[in-house]
Amino acid sequence: MSTSDASAERGGDLRDFAKEDEALTEGFRATEETRGDVVLLHLEGFLDAHTAAEFESTMQRQVDTNAVRLAVDCEKLTYISSAGLGVFMSFIEELREKGGDIRIGALLPKVRQVFDILGFTEIFQLFETADEAVRSFQEKE
Amino acid sequence: MKLRLEWLLSVVLAIVACVLVVMQAPQREPYPDTKLAPAGSSIEKQAEAAARFFGVELESWRYVARTRSNTDLRLAFENDLVDPRWQLRDSFSYVAQFFGPGRDRCVVELDLHGRVVSFDNRASREPAEAMVGGPSLAAEARLIAMTAYERIWSSPYFSGERDDYGFRLTADAVLERDGYAFEWTSGPDRAGMLTWKLRFLVRDGSIVHFQISPMELEPLRAVNRARDQQYQLAFLLALIVGLVAVISAVVIMLLNLMRGRLPWRFVIRSAVLLSIFIVLDFAMGERYNRLLIALRGDYPEIVLLLTGAIIGPAAALAVMAAGRATRVATDFRRWLGMEDFLQLKWNKASVTSSFIAAFLTACVWLGISYAILAVSLDSLAESLTLASTVLDVPPIAGIYSLRTLAILLIVLFGFPVIKAHVRNRRLQALVAVLAATTGCVLVSLIEYPIGSLLLEALAHGLLLVYVYHRHGVLSAALGAIAAPVLGRAFVFFERGEFEPQAWGLGVLVLSGVALGVCTLLYLRNPSREEELRLSQEEFETLKRESERHLVSRREALQGEFALAEQAQRRMLPDHPPRVPGLEIASVCLPAQQVGGDMFDYLMLPDGRWLFCVADVSGKGVSASLYMTMLKGLLKSVCQVRSDLCDIASTLNQHLYRITGRQSFVTVVLAAFDSATSQLEILRAGHPPALHASASGSASFIDSQGMGLGMVSNALFSKKLNTVRLHLAPGDVVVLYSDGVTEAMNRQREEYGPERLEQLIKQEGRGNVVDILERVLAGLRIFQDGAAVHDDVTLMVLRARKDAVAQAADEQHLVAQTPASFSAPAAVAGPPG
């Protein structure tokens, strides 16, 4: 994020490069928030092949810290590619084996469409809002 | 491995030594036959016990005053003695004053009925009043004794001598009738406590003694106020500097610990070392001190001076050279976990951290030199103290100045280390001085009696840890073992007897030997770090070589990729099959050299033609590997199965097992029956195919189906269906990967299915190759030079006007790679 701020001041041609860079590497952010025993991940920006690694490490961190109940807030997730979906895919089984789950809330229509096309709706529980996703964990308790 | 063994061994040995020393310490008893007064009894009780033994009634043993400044001690007693056997009754007062940090100047005043006899072991060579003539201490003492006890004993004779802790007066008063003798010893011990021993010898050979030690001391203001203030000021300043240094060192250490820069094992291991040393020091410290004092001995002052001036620095240099030559410091640092800590680039906190670095350095040099230097240093200090007495300067000034000088020298030796941490030259000097002062304070604290034992041990321990860390096992072993060992050895040679404590000494020596042997063994091991140390030249050469290696490696990799690219391109059919009633054109443009997209044409067992576009999640090498596998799988499955759902399920079954959910594949399968012109389409997680009828309408052919390899077959098959549609002549079906619909322009807008639909509606007539190229051109215009992030695969199927099969001429179209796509294209299509 800071590089894009800095590059905005440079102007000219650099700006274009910076933008492209941003699209490649800076366009995604995952922040963690703990709500009880549920970890809520706020995703933001573009989740594609370039940024999937970052998301993967975020997910890995959860698994490593034994956080198995993950709710994902996709309200600000503007794009997801198959690589991004692959990250969800690669963790779901392990988490479910450990008694956890990934529940996804607040998908934007375009992103939701990608989920639909791939058939992810059959695998993941989707919710209208992130709060609902979090609550769904607690209700089952 | 060896290093670990070595440490384990020496630590174990050191612990054994400590245990032995500590266990045997209480057994120390110089007078084995003594009947002691009850332990813990007060002075009065002890005196009474002794008096009872002799049948003497001790009416009073009055304590008059004990006063003490930082360096001086004054004790005053009044004593009444009554001996009923000889009808003797007398009283005298005794005032002893000890001066200087070493308590080695002593003034004793005996007052017998107003007749004062004074004795000064330093300043006054001429005894007051009765003391005439005798230049020697013994003679003086004898004179005092004779004067003082004239009236009590008929033929007393006394002897006086200097002892470890100052002086000792011995009065051998032999009573002719009963054959009693007693020895009276007094003087301050190392910690500034006055030890007062009376030892009575009875004719039958038994001995009794009582000891008044240690006496409680309390602060004082009365004596020599001016000098006190001077000392106190110096002490206060030194204490403040020392405290600031120690506290900041601790704070910085803690900060680094919390930030994870300094490993906890550093703290733990340092603590272990420190505690070992503290125990050792408590057990051995006294002996060590005896050595220092003894070596100071009765040598001519010029000898002491020369010794201090020559041997001190020479010894320091030798130890330094040994430390450098052995270079085991790095290993120890690694063991301690300090490596990273010292290699930190100190930017923001450079001043404080530099100070700490220099402080450590000072301590280090102090530490290695301490055992050896201190002896000569003390000798030098002694001479200066003597000189200062003559010059009427406070003796402490000599010690202070000397220590400061010595430590400054020491720090200068360690200057390279300071330089490594501090850039600014003035700062370097400042840091050196600060460090020297701090070290000086620490050493000076040792000389002081207030709680000095603990401080001394702490200082010793700190010094030792840093000796270890900077100069390696060998010099540290020297420092750690030399002091107590030499002390013990001295006691051994002096007394000619092997005291119980000496067992501890033996173990210590043994551990030292073990440590030395292990160190030597380790040093012979060729795989040492210094051999990895490179000169600038070697470094440059290595750098060039590694760069060259990298370049060649990169070239090799590029070559590999080119081969992979070719191989993968060969895997795509180079031209479409001749399918009655259908025109076909396909293209696959990987975003990188190799990609995860593919397309294929296969004849099914039931005679239908299968058209397939697939996309492996992710891209690059891993995706291309899965893609290759998919190609093989598809080929083999399609040899035995014709049902699209069957085919998809079988693929899923394999992929689910193989990918381990790390990757998945989306695929669209379309089976065309030339006889009926019917197209069956299955979509597994893939973007739906686009169907544009000849009449100009277009729609996406959606159906249910999850991506391959995501879920087990049970769920996968449940959510799977196909769509059948009849292709009228001129109908166009476009199969594509998401690289098409998700292509982005510079504004990060997606191309989207709508644009594709629109384009096909408008351009969906004519040759399939034209359609294909128009779609690619449209895509290129939309992207407007923005970077391509995903593989693009397109397959266009078009039903011929004449649905009846006709032998089409075969024509290969080698597609031109569109300018915006740097990746190669494989476009093929039959003649239009």
Side-chain angles (χ1 to χ4, degrees):
Chain A
M1 301 296 140
S2 57
T3 49
S4 66
D5 292 346
S7 64
E9 292 169 11
R10 277 185 244 137
D13 294 341
L14 281 177
R15 197 170 289 168
D16 293 338
F17 281 117
K19 258 189 194 163
E20 234 162 66
D21 261 9
E22 195 183 333
L24 288 173
T25 57
E26 300 270 349
F28 174 74
R29 189 163 59 177
T31 44
E32 300 159 30
E33 182 191 333
T34 308
R35 292 198 183 173
D37 62 346
V38 180
V39 175
L40 178 58
L41 300 172
H42 299 278
L43 306 190
E44 212 175 301
F46 272 50
L47 182 51
D48 56 18
H50 294 282
T51 55
E54 190 186 335
F55 182 42
E56 191 168 356
S57 65
T58 307
M59 293 289 281
Q60 191 60 50
R61 231 183 358 261
Q62 310 309 321
V63 174
D64 292 344
T65 53
N66 269 330
V68 292
R69 290 150 182 246
L70 305 182
V72 184
D73 172 16
C74 297
E75 198 183 344
K76 289 177 181 166
L77 184 71
T78 48
Y79 172 81
I80 190 162
S81 79
S82 61
L85 292 165
V87 177
F88 283 102
M89 199 67 233
S90 60
F91 284 98
I92 185 68
E93 230 168 64
E94 186 182 350
L95 289 173
R96 285 192 179 150
E97 271 168 22
K98 288 181 175 172
D101 200 1
I102 302 175
R103 294 182 187 171
I104 298 162
L107 284 176
L108 293 177
K110 243 165 69 182
V111 177
R112 163 97 198 205
Q113 199 183 355
V114 178
F115 270 75
D116 281 338
I117 288 178
L118 202 61
F120 262 45
T121 42
E122 307 293 339
I123 306 171
F124 293 95
Q125 285 188 49
L126 304 185
F127 295 88
E128 286 304 313
T129 65
D131 286 336
E132 278 178 45
V134 173
R135 230 176 295 134
S136 72
F137 278 113
Q138 288 150 357
E139 278 161 11
K140 292 219 169 143
E141 281 296 296
Chain B
M1 224 28 225
K2 270 176 187 160
L3 197 65
R4 231 179 248 180
L5 195 72
E6 155 203 331
W7 272 104
L8 198 69
L9 202 63
S10 51
V11 164
V12 166
L13 285 171
I15 290 172
V16 170
C18 295
V19 169
L20 272 176
V21 167
V22 170
M23 274 173 56
Q24 303 205 5
Q27 295 170 13
R28 253 186 309 175
E29 185 41 72
Y31 309 108
D33 297 326
T34 299
K35 295 166 193 166
L36 277 172
S41 55
S42 64
I43 297 168
E44 287 82 0
K45 280 183 181 166
Q46 290 195 46
E48 276 166 19
R52 251 198 315 279
F53 180 82
F54 287 100
V56 174
E57 275 174 38
L58 203 59
E59 282 192 344
S60 67
W61 182 282
R62 285 192 302 278
Y63 166 78
V64 177
R66 52 190 170 190
T67 51
R68 182 177 166 276
S69 70
N70 283 319
T71 54
D72 302 343
L73 179 74
R74 182 173 187 269
L75 291 150
F77 292 95
E78 249 181 38
N79 206 347
D80 291 342
L81 280 171
V82 177
D83 187 338
R85 284 176 292 181
W86 296 288
Q87 301 298 313
L88 279 172
R89 186 188 182 90
D90 209 340
S91 74
F92 66 94
S93 75
Y94 167 92
V95 177
Q97 293 184 76
F98 303 96
F99 298 105
R103 303 270 189 274
D104 41 14
R105 180 179 170 223
C106 178
V107 175
V108 176
E109 287 173 359
L110 291 172
D111 186 345
L112 288 158
H113 310 293
R115 195 172 161 204
V116 178
V117 178
S118 74
F119 160 69
D120 187 335
N121 74 333
R122 280 278 166 78
S124 167
R125 294 288 176 181
E126 297 281 316
E129 201 175 321
M131 292 190 188
V132 281
S136 80
L137 194 62
E140 286 172 307
R142 198 169 296 122
L143 274 169
I144 295 173
M146 284 169 72
T147 315
Y149 290 93
E150 207 174 19
R151 290 176 60 196
I152 302 172
W153 311 104
S154 52
S155 59
Y157 57 95
F158 283 72
S159 67
E161 59 181 68
R162 294 184 65 178
D163 192 17
D164 300 348
Y165 306 126
F167 82 106
R168 185 168 65 193
L169 281 175
T170 307
D172 292 327
V174 181
L175 302 179
E176 295 295 338
R177 275 175 292 182
D178 295 340
Y180 291 130
F182 82 92
E183 186 185 81
W184 171 44
T185 309
S186 72
D189 71 1
R190 178 179 175 230
M193 306 292 178
L194 185 79
T195 308
W196 182 319
K197 292 173 186 165
L198 292 179
R199 184 185 179 206
F200 296 90
L201 180 70
V202 188
R203 184 180 273 166
D204 63 9
S206 64
I207 295 170
V208 72
H209 97 134
F210 71 96
Q211 187 173 328
I212 305 162
S213 167
M215 299 182 76
E216 286 173 15
L217 302 167
E218 61 188 32
L220 138 104
R221 314 214 152 112
V223 180
N224 216 333
R225 190 175 294 270
R227 198 160 58 183
D228 270 358
Q229 282 171 351
Q230 198 181 341
Y231 294 156
Q232 275 164 0
L233 191 66
F235 179 74
L236 198 68
L237 280 174
L239 192 69
I240 289 170
V241 177
L243 281 179
V244 167
V246 170
I247 289 171
S248 52
V250 168
V251 165
I252 285 191
M253 199 176 279
L254 283 178
L255 279 178
N256 278 293
L257 271 175
M258 286 192 298
R259 288 180 194 156
R261 283 170 170 177
L262 188 64
W264 278 102
R265 71 172 189 277
F266 164 72
V267 180
I268 295 164
R269 290 175 177 179
S270 299
V272 170
L273 287 178
L274 198 66
S275 52
I276 289 175
F277 191 81
I278 287 175
V279 175
L280 270 182
D281 189 72
F282 271 110
M284 296 293 186
E286 191 192 342
R287 299 298 173 187
Y288 172 47
N289 208 58
R290 284 172 68 99
L291 169 74
L292 294 189
I293 294 165
L295 282 181
R296 198 151 58 193
D298 279 328
Y299 300 107
E301 275 137 33
I302 184 70
V303 175
L304 297 178
L305 207 70
L306 284 176
T307 316
I310 297 164
I311 295 182
L317 277 173
V319 174
M320 187 166 68
R324 281 211 183 133
T326 51
R327 280 187 201 273
V328 273
T330 329
D331 302 314
F332 179 76
R333 211 157 58 200
R334 199 176 296 140
W335 180 81
L336 211 54
M338 284 276 295
E339 211 170 13
D340 300 335
F341 181 61
L342 286 179
Q343 280 168 6
L344 283 180
K345 301 282 177 220
W346 307 87
N347 294 327
K348 286 177 188 169
S350 66
V351 177
T352 356
S353 56
S354 307
F355 169 61
I356 297 302
F359 165 68
L360 300 188
T361 313
C363 289
V364 164
W365 287 110
L366 200 64
I368 53 166
S369 317
Y370 190 74
I372 301 163
L373 197 62
V375 177
S376 39
L377 211 58
D378 273 11
S379 316
L380 209 60
E382 173 82 356
S383 356
L384 279 186
T385 311
L386 286 177
S388 69
T389 315
V390 176
L391 294 171
D392 199 22
V393 178
I396 189 109
I399 296 172
Y400 261 127
S401 57
L402 190 77
R403 293 237 190 251
T404 313
L405 189 72
I407 295 162
L408 261 178
L409 280 173
I410 287 165
V411 171
L412 284 174
F413 282 129
F415 218 66
V417 183
I418 300 178
K419 273 185 178 170
H421 289 275
V422 194
R423 288 275 165 85
N424 188 305
R425 286 184 166 229
R426 283 181 192 167
L427 262 184
Q428 284 174 0
L430 184 70
V431 161
V433 172
L434 273 175
T437 316
T438 311
C440 182
V441 167
L442 279 178
V443 174
S444 301
L445 281 177
I446 297 169
E447 298 288 328
Y448 279 89
I450 337 150
S452 67
L453 276 180
L454 193 65
L455 274 174
E456 180 181 348
L458 194 71
H460 268 302
L462 277 173
L463 297 183
L464 188 67
V465 166
Y466 291 111
V467 174
Y468 270 127
H469 122 71
R470 292 303 302 175
H471 298 285
V473 180
L474 208 61
S475 39
L478 266 178
I481 295 173
V485 163
L486 286 179
R488 304 297 300 132
F490 166 70
V491 173
F492 176 72
F493 285 118
E494 184 198 45
R495 302 241 168 116
E497 61 188 68
F498 212 53
E499 287 184 14
Q501 262 180 311
W503 290 108
L505 166 76
V507 180
L508 254 185
V509 171
L510 211 64
S511 75
V513 170
L515 198 67
V517 168
C518 290
T519 308
L520 284 176
L521 279 177
Y522 183 77
L523 289 176
R524 286 197 177 173
N525 190 340
S527 63
R528 289 192 26 235
E529 199 215 22
E530 69 182 293
E531 278 151 39
L532 292 176
R533 217 166 282 158
L534 301 169
S535 71
Q536 189 64 24
E537 227 171 283
E538 286 170 318
F539 176 73
E540 288 299 330
T541 317
L542 206 69
K543 200 172 145 196
R544 271 198 304 277
E545 273 174 18
S546 68
E547 272 166 7
R548 209 176 303 139
H549 177 71
L550 267 182
V551 168
S552 66
R553 177 118 183 82
R554 201 184 305 135
E555 280 166 0
L557 261 181
Q558 281 168 351
E560 296 282 321
F561 266 104
L563 284 176
E565 184 189 339
Q566 281 175 21
Q568 201 177 27
R569 210 187 311 163
R570 269 201 291 274
M571 249 174 264
L572 298 173
D574 49 4
H575 60 86
R578 279 174 293 170
V579 179
L582 207 59
E583 292 172 17
I584 308 145
S586 306
V587 67
C588 178
L589 307 165
Q592 295 167 6
Q593 273 182 311
V594 290
D597 274 16
M598 65 158 275
F599 64 89
D600 210 351
Y601 324 106
L602 293 156
M603 167 87 83
L604 296 176
D606 64 0
R608 291 190 295 170
W609 274 94
L610 180 75
F611 303 97
C612 162
V613 167
D615 179 1
V616 180
S617 72
K619 55 189 177 185
V621 176
S622 71
S624 77
L625 288 174
Y626 281 123
M627 173 248 157
T628 312
M629 186 177 65
L630 179 69
K631 161 108 185 168
L633 271 176
L634 189 66
K635 179 106 185 162
S636 58
V637 172
C638 289
Q639 279 171 354
V640 291
R641 290 175 199 271
S642 296
D643 184 76
L644 291 192
C645 289
D646 269 1
I647 294 171
S649 299
T650 314
L651 289 176
N652 180 64
Q653 191 182 349
H654 287 292
L655 287 170
Y656 180 72
R657 213 176 45 228
I658 295 165
T659 60
R661 255 60 63 228
Q662 296 307 307
S663 188
F664 55 85
V665 177
T666 68
V667 68
V668 61
L669 301 174
F672 181 69
D673 187 348
S674 298
T676 59
S677 204
Q678 199 174 53
L679 190 71
E680 184 186 7
I681 295 185
L682 178 146
R683 183 187 74 81
H686 205 82
L690 181 64
H691 174 229
S693 67
S695 61
S697 66
S699 62
F700 288 98
I701 310 160
D702 206 358
S703 62
Q704 255 195 327
M706 300 166 73
L708 302 175
M710 287 171 17
V711 294
S712 67
N713 246 10
L715 180 61
F716 179 79
S717 309
K718 209 184 295 172
K719 305 281 176 186
L720 193 64
N721 58 23
T722 61
V723 173
R724 287 166 195 271
L725 55 125
H726 179 80
L727 290 189
D731 278 8
V732 170
V733 171
V734 181
L735 313 180
Y736 56 91
S737 68
D738 59 2
V740 175
T741 46
E742 291 177 6
M744 282 187 203
N745 64 8
R746 284 167 178 257
Q747 286 74 47
R748 295 175 85 174
E749 290 165 343
E750 270 186 31
Y751 186 67
E754 296 79 15
R755 282 194 179 85
L756 180 67
E757 187 182 346
Q758 201 60 37
L759 192 115
I760 295 294
K761 265 188 198 170
Q762 290 165 4
E763 312 280 349
R765 278 166 287 274
N767 192 310
V768 279
V769 177
D770 289 344
I771 296 173
L772 192 81
E773 291 205 330
R774 266 178 242 134
V775 173
L776 289 179
L779 207 55
R780 194 170 62 227
I781 290 163
F782 173 78
Q783 283 179 307
D784 191 23
V788 180
H789 295 310
D790 206 355
D791 306 341
V792 169
T793 305
L794 259 179
M795 184 185 284
V796 182
L797 309 174
R798 184 163 175 267
R800 287 175 190 243
K801 287 236 160 52
D802 179 7
V804 180
Q806 55 175 269
D809 294 335
E810 191 176 345
Q811 189 188 345
H812 285 190
L813 289 178
V814 178
Q816 300 292 315
T817 302
S820 69
F821 297 111
S822 56
V827 180

